[in-house]
Amino acid sequence: MSLADLTQFRVEQRDNGLVHFVFDAPRSMNVFSNAAIAELGIFADWLKDSDASGVVIRSGKANGFCAGADLTELAEAYQMIVAARREDRFDIAFDHFFRLSHAIRRMERAGKPIAAAIAGVALGGGCELALGAHYRVLADTPRAMLGLPEHAVGLLPGAGGTQRMTRLVGVDIGLEVLLHGRTFAGQEALQVGVANRLVPEGEEVAAAEEWLLSAQASAIQPWDADGYQPLAHADYADAIERHRAAELARMLGHEPAPLSILECVELGLMQHMDGAIRSEMAVFSQLIQRREPRNMIRASFLGKQAFDKARRAEAIPQAAKDAAAKAGQAVNDALAATPALARAGFGPANGQAPVQASIGAGYWLESGSADAAEARGALAGLKAAIEPLAAGLSEDERLIFDHMLVREGLVPAYLGGSYGILDGDWA
C-alpha cells in the first residue's frame, strides 16, 4: 500500500519541508482499528527513508485526537485467540497486538523529529501515539486531555503506555494514571511533563511546526539518549508494593488487570525501551486471553455506551430497570443467606482481606477453597434467578441491564453483570 492509498490517515507535504500525518478515520471519531494500525506501520517505515525534516501528528476531526482502540475489533480478536489451540494462543495474541506498539516505536526511532498537536481527547492508544512523539503541544481547553483508561475495561495499555507514561511523570503519578484513570489537561499536563507546551485553542499546529523548525527540535526520546540508564528495581519497588496492596484491598484479588499493569511497570522500568515494550506485550498477551476483560468490555464499555445513550434520550428501557431491580433483590438475598459471596466481590468490600495476592488461571470462584465452594453454591441460585430476567431482554436492554448491575455495585465488574454469571458453571 502506498501513502496515497491510506484510508485512516492522510499525509500532507508542506512547503517548509514538514509532513502532516493526519488521523482522519472514516467514522465519527478516530480509533485504532486494524486498518489504522497497519497504516501507522506503513507510515513509520516510509518516514525513516523520507526527506521530511519533521512530522506534525494531528487529528482531522474537531471532536478529538484519538479515543483509543476499536473495542469491537478487540472483542473479535479475543474470540479468534480463544478459538485457537491453547498452546498457540500466546503467540497469536502477541503477534496480533504488538503491531501498534512496534509501529509507534519504529516511528519514534525513524530519525525525524515528531510533534503531536493535540486539540481534543487523546486516550488509550491515542495517548500512546502522542507519547511516542518527541514533543507534545496541547490546546488549553478541558477537551484536550491525555489518559490511559484501559484498566476500566480489564485491560492494560499495550502500545508502550505503561513504559512511556511512568518514565515521563514518575512511577507514583504514572500508576495513578494506569490504575485510577487520572487524566491530564491544561497546566497540569505541562507541570507533570506529558505536554511540552500549552497554547490557546487553534494554535497547536502552528506551535508544533514552530518547534520542528527550531534548533531545539530533536528526534531522540529521553529514554533513547546516550547515557540513559533504566531504573534499578530498588528505586521503585516500594511504590509497586504500595499500589499492589491498595489494589488488592479494593478488588479483593479478583481483577487481573491492575496486577498485570503493576507487573508491566515492575518488569519494564529496569529495561531499555525495546525490551520494556516487549515485556509489556508479553503480559498483555496473557491478560487478553482471560474472561475478565471480555466481561468488563461488555458491561463497562459497551453497556455504558448503551446506558448513556438511553439516559441522554431519557429513554432507559423500563424492562432493563425492572430486571435490574429484581436481580438486585436476588443478589441482596443471596448475600444475606451466604456471606461467603462477599468474598467473591459482591457488595462492598468493607475491609475484607483479599482472597488472593495473585490471580490464578481462572476465577477465584473456581478454586478449591471452602469459601469459593460456598460462594459457587450461592451463584448457582443467582444464575437460576437471573437467567429468565436476561432472557426477556433485547440485546441493547441486556447491555444496559448488565451495566446497571455493575454500576450499582450489585455484581462485581470482573463478572460483567449477568454475563459472567450466566456463562459460568457453578454447580
Side-chain angles (χ1 to χ4, degrees):
M1 179 185 285
S2 70
L3 295 184
D5 296 324
L6 301 184
T7 61
Q8 310 297 309
F9 294 89
R10 65 177 181 270
V11 177
E12 299 176 355
Q13 307 265 2
R14 297 302 170 103
D15 292 340
N16 56 11
L18 300 177
V19 164
H20 283 211
F21 188 50
V22 186
F23 201 166
D24 198 5
R27 55 173 75 195
S28 61
M29 182 169 283
N30 290 330
V31 295
F32 268 117
S33 61
N34 290 328
I37 292 167
E39 291 184 11
L40 179 62
I42 289 167
F43 177 76
D45 292 338
W46 171 85
L47 182 61
K48 68 179 187 295
D49 296 321
S50 77
D51 58 1
S53 58
V55 178
V56 176
I57 301 177
R58 62 179 178 86
S59 173
K61 301 189 184 303
N63 64 355
F65 185 75
C66 172
D70 183 326
L71 290 182
T72 301
E73 286 190 356
L74 191 146
E76 292 169 357
Y78 168 83
Q79 295 298 337
M80 171 190 72
I81 291 162
V82 298
R85 289 192 327 140
R86 185 177 301 276
E87 295 81 3
D88 296 332
R89 291 175 188 172
F90 177 87
D91 288 342
I92 292 170
F94 194 104
D95 292 345
H96 181 81
F97 288 107
F98 189 58
R99 295 172 304 141
L100 178 56
S101 186
H102 195 210
I104 292 172
R105 183 63 176 152
R106 297 201 311 276
M107 187 182 69
E108 77 175 349
R109 295 282 280 167
K112 312 290 184 179
I114 300 169
I118 305 161
V121 293
L123 299 174
C127 180
E128 290 174 296
L129 176 62
L131 296 182
H134 306 101
Y135 192 80
R136 288 164 296 281
V137 180
L138 198 62
D140 192 5
T141 167
R143 292 187 298 104
M145 68 172 71
L146 295 109
L148 297 166
E150 286 86 346
H151 72 285
V153 291
L155 288 171
L156 61 88
T162 66
Q163 304 307 311
R164 293 185 181 90
M165 182 62 76
T166 47
R167 282 164 170 78
L168 283 170
V169 305
V171 177
D172 272 311
I173 294 177
L175 287 173
E176 290 178 16
V177 176
L178 296 165
L179 296 171
H180 306 151
R182 182 175 176 181
T183 58
F184 299 116
Q187 284 292 335
E188 186 181 29
L190 201 62
Q191 289 163 4
V192 300
V194 292
N196 300 96
R197 186 173 175 187
L198 189 66
V199 298
E201 192 171 5
E203 297 181 15
E204 60 280 349
V205 173
E209 287 198 342
E210 180 183 336
W211 179 80
L212 288 167
L213 295 170
S214 74
Q216 285 72 46
S218 170
I220 300 173
Q221 295 278 29
W223 42 84
D224 292 321
D226 289 343
Y228 173 81
Q229 288 297 321
L231 292 175
H233 184 256
D235 293 337
Y236 58 91
D238 286 349
I240 295 289
E241 291 312 311
R242 216 169 40 248
H243 284 274
R244 194 191 315 277
E247 287 301 305
L248 287 170
R250 178 188 65 78
M251 48 79 175
L252 302 181
H254 293 295
E255 294 178 21
L259 302 183
S260 294
I261 287 168
L262 289 164
E263 184 179 1
C264 287
V265 175
E266 186 168 22
L267 291 173
L269 288 182
M270 66 179 82
Q271 300 182 66
H272 288 282
M273 186 61 73
D274 288 312
I277 60 173
R278 285 165 173 82
S279 291
E280 176 189 80
M281 183 48 55
V283 177
F284 182 97
S285 298
Q286 296 287 359
L287 179 62
I288 192 61
Q289 299 179 49
R290 299 185 62 94
R291 289 168 290 175
E292 294 93 343
R294 175 203 65 177
N295 297 343
M296 293 177 74
I297 288 170
R298 177 181 172 81
S300 300
F301 179 75
L302 299 176
K304 184 177 186 300
Q305 281 188 325
F307 177 86
D308 289 346
K309 180 180 179 181
R311 185 172 58 176
R312 285 194 298 271
E314 298 184 353
I316 296 174
Q318 189 62 45
K321 291 194 284 189
D322 289 347
K326 291 174 182 175
Q329 185 60 56
V331 169
N332 289 330
D333 290 346
L335 275 167
T338 312
L341 195 58
R343 304 278 284 150
F346 286 78
N350 287 337
Q352 294 183 78
V355 296
Q356 54 191 2
S358 60
I359 306 291
Y363 301 137
W364 168 81
L365 280 160
E366 297 164 338
S367 70
S369 79
D371 278 352
E374 190 176 347
R376 282 198 302 274
L379 266 183
L382 266 181
K383 180 176 179 177
I386 289 174
E387 198 160 22
L389 300 176
L393 302 175
S394 69
E395 178 57 22
D396 274 356
E397 289 169 344
R398 175 81 186 275
L399 284 170
I400 291 169
F401 170 58
D402 285 338
H403 178 67
M404 290 175 72
L405 293 180
V406 172
R407 174 190 175 90
E408 293 168 17
L410 294 166
V411 177
Y414 75 90
L415 286 174
S418 70
Y419 192 77
I421 294 174
L422 300 186
D423 185 55
D425 180 8
W426 312 114

